[in-house]
Amino acid sequence: MLQYLQIFHEWVCEILYDGIVKMGDTMFGYVKVYQPELKMGEFEQYRGAYCALCRTLGKRYGITAQMTLSYDMTFLALLHMALADSCTGFAHGRCPYNPFKKRMCCKPSAALDFAADAAMLLVYHKTVDTIADDRFVKRLTARLLLPIMRRNRRRAALRLPQLDETLAAAMDAQRDLEQRAVSSIDQAAEPTARMLAALCACADETQQPALERLGYCLGRWVYLMDATEDLAEDLRNQSYNPLLIAHGGDVSAARDAVTFSLNASMAECRAAYDALNIRRFDGILRNVMEWGMPHMQKQVLSGEKRTRAKHRSGGFQDEQSV
Amino acid sequence: MNNPYEVLGIQPTATDEEVKAAYRELAKKYHPDNYGNNPLSELAEEKMQEINEAYDTIIRMRRQGGSAGGSSSRYSDIRNLIRTGRTIDAESLLDGIPAPSRDAEWYFLKGSVLYKKGWLDDAYSHFSTATRMDPTNVEYRQAFNQLDMQRRTGGYRTAPGSNMNGCSTCDMCQGLICADCCCECMGGDLVPCC
């Protein structure tokens, strides 16, 4: 009996995890800090931003939205907070899902609101994408969630109409590219890069060019990382992957060649970051770029498939510790 | 003199505004007022001079139309467009040049436009074509090397002096040979076999 319960529990977890939690990895979960190199104080601040984003999501969009909380969007929130004129500061609080632990939490700010709204737009598009081309179980969950996601997107689009348009255009461009089976890596990465550029953009005129560059190169890196990770799977399923087309289906050649493109994108991210006027959280953001991204890249390139179990230990357990 | 672009910490493809901004930033950092009686003031002064020279050189090069290597006037309009950040116009002008008459400079400029757009792979292949067509040109070589470095290392910034960590076997041999030479100059001998 217990055994069956356990199996059932695993199954439910899987559906919940694959269907909802992973939906929040809008940048595929590639953009996060590398904990061993983070200072204690910075770690505390990072957790604070993570908590605050969760709260903002909950307050604005409810519990389903909260489940899509991700490190990717935490990075985005931190980036915007780092550029803001004033710091809203931290407060002590308790997490409703973990009430025995007290923790620091960022006070509400425009950057957090922006990240939460942007997350809802992205999650909606990801849900639609999943329905279009994923496995059965995932597709089913996505279909069930679609009405909620659609509602969330509608609300978010009211606040960020321009971003909504840009994202929708990018998604269309992506689909179009896939249909035409474009072989140019630069061209294939363009929609994702544009998307991230729009997400990073801010109102400050002087920071704008560097920020856009940072977003663009980050998006490029994210796209290429995803393409690299999916190489073997895409070869098996005969699905579109620019790296496979460019290298005639040779996975290891594609992996060798993409390393250079990934490196160049990462280097450009850093160069753009250095040109920014960062007012706070410099250590955390630098950690993401100088440790988190290279570490993740090494993992993906070595072909270490981040399996579901691994995802979970990297996601769920981490999230509890965060 | 060092490469003026390296002194200012910018890329050869930087716009005039970026050059100015980089110069201003560095000038602020090394301004004599920041040092006063500080024992490092001389060092800062030296640095300041270097920055001034680098800035002047870049501006002079750009005024002459085209940087190092005395380029033809054929592309000066396009260079101007790139410099002022109007990459889309520059690209459409470049694309209008028929394929048979595309030379090394064309590939370099097209590479610069692609680089600005963030199309790093295509930029790399254009830069490499440009250097292959004209291996003597410093400007093309620099652009190529910079991107090549990024592609190989991912832009790990090595801290100054990090390549001299500790004392390797190589350093020791070098030291011994130097010492031997010195001794020999003075009529003695440290390492009898050489």
Side-chain angles (χ1 to χ4, degrees), chain A residues 208-227:
Chain A
Q208 189 58 14
L211 253 182
E212 224 165 272
R213 180 82 173 174
L214 171 66
Y216 190 95
C217 294
L218 188 67
R220 204 181 127 83
W221 183 81
V222 164
Y223 179 83
L224 291 176
M225 283 283 281
D226 184 48

Side-chain angles (χ1 to χ4, degrees), chain B residues 23-89:
Chain B
Y23 169 72
R24 234 179 269 140
E25 191 68 27
L26 285 172
K28 223 190 284 167
K29 192 163 153 194
Y30 292 110
H31 197 275
D33 286 357
N34 292 343
Y35 289 86
N37 292 329
N38 192 306
L40 293 177
S41 63
E42 261 173 47
L43 209 67
E45 216 167 280
E46 254 172 51
K47 192 83 190 157
M48 192 71 199
Q49 204 177 346
E50 201 182 349
I51 295 162
N52 280 332
E53 269 169 27
Y55 180 69
D56 288 344
T57 315
I58 293 172
I59 294 299
R60 212 181 317 121
M61 274 189 332
R62 293 191 164 194
R63 285 259 170 75
Q64 282 162 5
S67 31
S71 60
S72 60
S73 58
R74 190 172 158 209
Y75 294 109
S76 61
D77 297 350
I78 296 176
R79 275 182 186 270
N80 267 329
L81 285 175
I82 295 177
R83 215 171 297 144
T84 46
R86 290 166 59 191
T87 43
I88 298 167
D89 298 336

Side-chain angles (χ1 to χ4, degrees), chain A residues 184-187 190 213 216 220 259-261 263-268 270 274 286 290 294, chain B residues 11 114-123 146-148 150-157:
Chain A
S184 156
I185 290 171
D186 289 325
Q187 224 174 324
E190 174 103 349
R213 180 82 173 174
Y216 190 95
R220 204 181 127 83
T259 312
F260 294 115
S261 312
N263 278 341
S265 312
M266 204 158 62
E268 280 301 314
R270 287 189 200 172
D274 284 339
R286 254 179 217 290
E290 286 171 16
Chain B
Q11 288 139 12
L114 289 166
Y115 179 75
K116 293 237 150 126
K117 253 171 66 174
W119 289 36
L120 303 176
D121 277 64
D122 285 353
Q146 188 229 333
L147 195 49
D148 191 50
Q150 287 188 342
R151 284 164 64 87
R152 278 185 288 115
T153 61
Y156 289 97
R157 239 169 305 123

Side-chain angles (χ1 to χ4, degrees), chain A residues 141-170:
Chain A
T141 343
R143 218 180 266 281
L144 287 174
L145 285 170
L146 190 62
I148 305 174
M149 299 308 182
R150 196 182 283 135
R151 182 205 62 175
N152 289 346
R153 182 228 187 171
R154 214 169 27 234
R155 283 196 206 161
L158 285 179
R159 296 193 182 105
L160 304 168
Q162 215 175 353
L163 185 65
D164 182 51
E165 260 170 52
T166 316
L167 295 190

Side-chain angles (χ1 to χ4, degrees), chain B residues 86-155:
Chain B
R86 290 166 59 191
T87 43
I88 298 167
D89 298 336
E91 189 168 24
S92 62
L93 273 182
L94 279 169
D95 289 341
I97 292 170
S101 56
R102 290 174 182 175
D103 53 5
E105 192 174 7
W106 185 90
Y107 279 100
F108 166 71
L109 291 175
K110 176 83 181 176
S112 311
V113 168
L114 289 166
Y115 179 75
K116 293 237 150 126
K117 253 171 66 174
W119 289 36
L120 303 176
D121 277 64
D122 285 353
Y124 179 76
S125 68
H126 278 81
F127 283 152
S128 91
T129 311
T131 38
R132 219 174 323 115
M133 287 169 90
D134 184 0
T136 53
N137 190 302
V138 185
E139 192 184 17
Y140 311 161
R141 170 75 53 189
Q142 257 169 26
F144 174 76
N145 284 350
Q146 188 229 333
L147 195 49
D148 191 50
M149 183 66 143
Q150 287 188 342
R151 284 164 64 87
R152 278 185 288 115
T153 61

